[in-house]
Amino acid sequence: MVFSRSLRLGVMALVMCSVPALAHAETMREALTSAYRNSPDLLSAYLDVKLAAEGIVSAKSAKLPTIGATLNTTQAYTPGSPLDLPSISGGVNYSQRLFDNYATEARIESARAGAEAKRYALQSAEQKLFLDVVTAYMAVLTNTQLAQLRQENVTFYQAQVKSAKDRLEIGEGTKIDVSQAEARLAQGTASYQSALASLEVSRATYERLVGHAPKSLSMTYRLGTLLPTSLERAINEAMSAHPAIFAAQAGVRAAQAGADAASASFGPTLDLSAGVNSTFYSPNPTWSGPTPSASVSLSLKVPIYGGGALGAGVRSANISQMKSEVAALSARDQIKEAVISSWSALRNAQAAIDSANTAVASGELALEGVVQSRDVGQSTTLDVLNAQSELTSIREGLIQATQGKVLASFQLVAATGHLTAADLGLAVEIKTGEDYIAKAEDVWQELRALD
C-alpha cells in the first residue's frame, strides 16, 4: 500500500537527516569548536585562572623589597617680608620583611594551589560546556525527527478521516468511524504542534551555546578510543584524570598551606627599613648646601597576646583543612557515581534501541495487516488507529533511545575526565591559563613594565 511504503521510508528519515540536508550539515565537531571559541562561560572560567594567578604575585610581594622616592616642597611666608623660593627636599626609602616565621612561604603555596584549582575548574567548565552542546545538538536533531514523525502521523490520520467518510458515503462505514478518526487527527495535530514548540526551544538553547542558529545537523561524530571498553577501566580513568578530583586535591593543598600560615602568626617577624634623605635647596641663610643623611633600622616583633584572634585563626584554618579533605572524598565518590550511572545508561540505551528496532519492524507489519483486514471488513477503523498510534509510540521510543545512547556516551567520556578540546582533537587554541600563571610567577615583571 501507499501508506505502508510511506511509513517504511519514514523510518529512514527518523534515523538520519534528509539527503539534501547532509550536503551542508553542521557536524558535532563543528558545533563543539564554535562553542569553545564563543562561550562566555568558558571565558569567565579562564579569567578566574588569571585572577587566581595574580594572588601568587600578591603573596610573593610580602617578602620582597618595597622601594620608593619622595620629593617635598615647603613654602614659608612671613607677613611684610618678600616671598622666598620654597625649600626642596627628598629621598629614597627601602623596606623589606626579612623573616615572618615562614608565613609568606605558606601563603605563596596556598595561592599556587588556588591557581591550580582554578585551572582544573576551567577544565570542568570546558567539559560542562561540551556536554551542554551535545545535549542541545541532540535535542535539535531529536525534536526535528519527532516533528517529522508526527507530521507523517497527521498525514496518516487525515487519510483515515477521508477513508472513513468515503466508506460512510457508500454505506460501508459508520459515523463512529469518522468521529474516531477525527479525534485521533486532533490528537496527532496537537502532538505535532508540541513537537514544533520543543524544537524552537532546543534551537534557542543551541544558539545560546554554540553562537549561531543550528544549520542542518547530522550525527556523525565518533568518540573512538575515548569511550572506555569496561566499567573498571572507566572508573580507573576517572580517578586518574578527572579535573574535579585534581581541583579538590589542590583545594586540600591550599587549605593545608592556610593552616601553616595561621600557625606561623604566633612566631616572630623581622623587618628592615632604610632611607637616604636630603634638602636640595632652602632659603634659610644658615643652609650650606645639600647634606644627605642615611638611616637603617631593624625591627623585631614577637606576639605575646592577641585577644584570642590568633588562636581562632589557627582553629578556623584547621577546620577548613578538614572540610577540604572531606570535600575531596565527596568529589571522588560523585565522579565514581557518574561513571557507573553513565555506563548503565549507555547499556540500557543500546538495549532499548535493539528492542525498538525489532518492535518497529513488527509494528509496520501489524499495521499493514490491520489496514488490509479493515478493507475487507474483518477489522475496524479503531483497530487501524490503535495500530498506528502504537507504531508511532515505538518509533518515538527509538528516536529517544538513540538520543539517550549518544548522550550517555558523551557523559561517560566526561565522567572519565576526557571530554576536553585537547582530547577531542578540536582545531582551537587551548585555554589552560598555564602561560599566564608562569608570567605571574615572574614578580620582577613590574620593573620591566617601566621600560
Side-chain angles (χ1 to χ4, degrees):
M1 293 182 64
V2 175
F3 291 124
S4 177
R5 290 194 299 269
S6 175
L7 290 172
R8 283 194 293 269
L9 292 174
V11 175
M12 297 178 61
L14 298 175
V15 180
M16 61 194 323
C17 293
S18 62
V19 173
L22 284 174
H24 303 90
E26 181 176 28
T27 65
M28 180 78 78
R29 179 180 294 274
E30 292 171 338
L32 293 172
T33 300
S34 178
Y36 188 88
R37 290 172 176 168
N38 299 304
S39 171
D41 293 337
L42 198 61
L43 177 59
S44 178
Y46 180 60
L47 294 177
D48 283 340
V49 177
K50 290 188 173 184
L51 287 174
E54 295 300 337
I56 302 175
V57 181
S58 298
K60 283 187 171 183
S61 68
K63 288 187 67 175
L64 292 175
T66 300
I67 304 173
T70 60
L71 182 65
N72 302 311
T73 62
T74 303
Q75 176 70 62
Y77 173 70
T78 302
S81 301
L83 185 65
D84 295 323
L85 292 174
S87 61
I88 302 174
S89 62
V92 177
N93 301 306
Y94 177 99
S95 63
Q96 182 177 4
R97 175 152 289 183
L98 301 179
F99 182 73
D100 60 1
N101 200 28
Y102 305 104
T104 295
E105 285 79 3
R107 294 190 182 100
I108 293 173
E109 172 62 17
S110 178
R112 285 173 174 162
E116 183 178 337
K118 289 298 183 181
R119 185 164 61 84
Y120 288 121
L122 172 61
Q123 290 185 12
S124 293
E126 184 179 337
Q127 292 209 137
K128 181 181 182 304
L129 170 66
F130 287 159
L131 271 180
D132 289 343
V133 171
V134 171
T135 301
Y137 191 102
M138 292 306 300
V140 172
L141 193 60
T142 297
N143 288 328
T144 299
Q145 294 172 347
L146 287 174
Q148 292 173 349
L149 173 63
R150 293 176 183 180
Q151 185 179 37
E152 292 180 1
N153 199 38
V154 169
T155 301
F156 181 89
Y157 286 142
Q158 288 173 339
Q160 294 307 308
V161 169
K162 183 178 182 304
S163 176
K165 288 181 177 180
D166 290 343
R167 289 196 305 276
L168 178 62
E169 290 179 358
I170 62 176
E172 293 183 359
T174 65
K175 291 183 178 181
I176 295 178
D177 294 335
V178 175
S179 298
Q180 290 172 337
E182 289 176 339
R184 291 298 176 90
L185 175 59
Q187 293 175 0
T189 302
S191 181
Y192 171 61
Q193 293 298 328
S194 176
L196 291 180
S198 297
L199 177 58
E200 287 302 312
V201 173
S202 60
R203 287 175 61 87
T205 302
Y206 183 97
E207 184 173 1
R208 174 177 63 83
L209 293 170
V210 178
H212 57 258
K215 305 170 186 177
S216 299
L217 306 184
S218 173
M219 184 54 206
T220 58
Y221 194 84
R222 298 293 182 269
L223 289 169
T225 57
L226 292 178
L227 199 62
T229 55
S230 68
L231 179 57
E232 181 181 3
R233 179 178 177 182
I235 293 175
N236 291 336
E237 287 277 347
M239 295 300 104
S240 61
H242 201 286
I245 293 179
F246 292 148
Q249 292 172 347
V252 173
R253 282 178 45 213
Q256 289 173 341
D260 293 340
S263 299
S265 63
F266 280 97
T269 57
L270 179 64
D271 295 295
L272 168 67
S273 61
V276 177
N277 297 278
S278 177
T279 300
F280 302 111
Y281 172 79
S282 174
N284 193 322
T286 62
W287 184 71
S288 58
T291 54
S293 63
S295 64
V296 177
S297 67
L298 287 173
S299 175
L300 177 65
K301 296 181 180 179
V302 179
I304 297 176
Y305 178 69
L310 298 179
V314 171
R315 291 191 296 272
S316 297
N318 289 335
I319 292 173
S320 295
Q321 178 180 345
M322 289 187 289
K323 184 177 179 181
S324 67
E325 292 171 352
V326 172
L329 293 175
S330 177
R332 291 177 63 89
D333 291 341
Q334 290 176 10
I335 296 304
K336 183 176 181 180
E337 178 189 14
V339 171
I340 296 174
S341 177
S342 55
W343 177 268
S344 300
L346 180 59
R347 295 185 64 184
N348 290 338
Q350 184 59 58
I353 290 173
D354 295 340
S355 175
N357 279 323
T358 302
V360 166
S362 299
E364 286 182 343
L365 292 175
L367 176 60
E368 186 172 357
V370 171
V371 171
Q372 292 175 353
S373 297
R374 189 274 316 274
D375 291 342
V376 297
Q378 295 181 352
S379 297
T380 65
T381 297
L382 181 60
D383 294 330
V384 174
L385 299 175
N386 288 339
Q388 169 66 13
S389 177
E390 183 178 354
L391 179 58
T392 300
S393 296
I394 295 172
R395 285 175 171 168
E396 290 187 1
L398 175 59
I399 293 173
Q400 292 164 352
T402 303
Q403 178 195 31
K405 179 182 178 180
V406 174
L407 294 181
S409 298
F410 278 89
Q411 288 167 354
L412 180 57
V413 174
T416 62
H418 291 298
L419 192 63
T420 64
D423 288 317
L424 294 174
L426 301 185
V428 296
E429 182 181 355
I430 306 298
K431 301 182 180 73
T432 64
E434 292 182 3
D435 54 340
Y436 192 89
I437 293 175
K439 291 178 181 179
E441 286 273 17
D442 182 8
V443 296
W444 297 107
Q445 62 175 322
E446 193 168 293
L447 292 178
R448 289 196 297 275
L450 299 177
D451 294 342

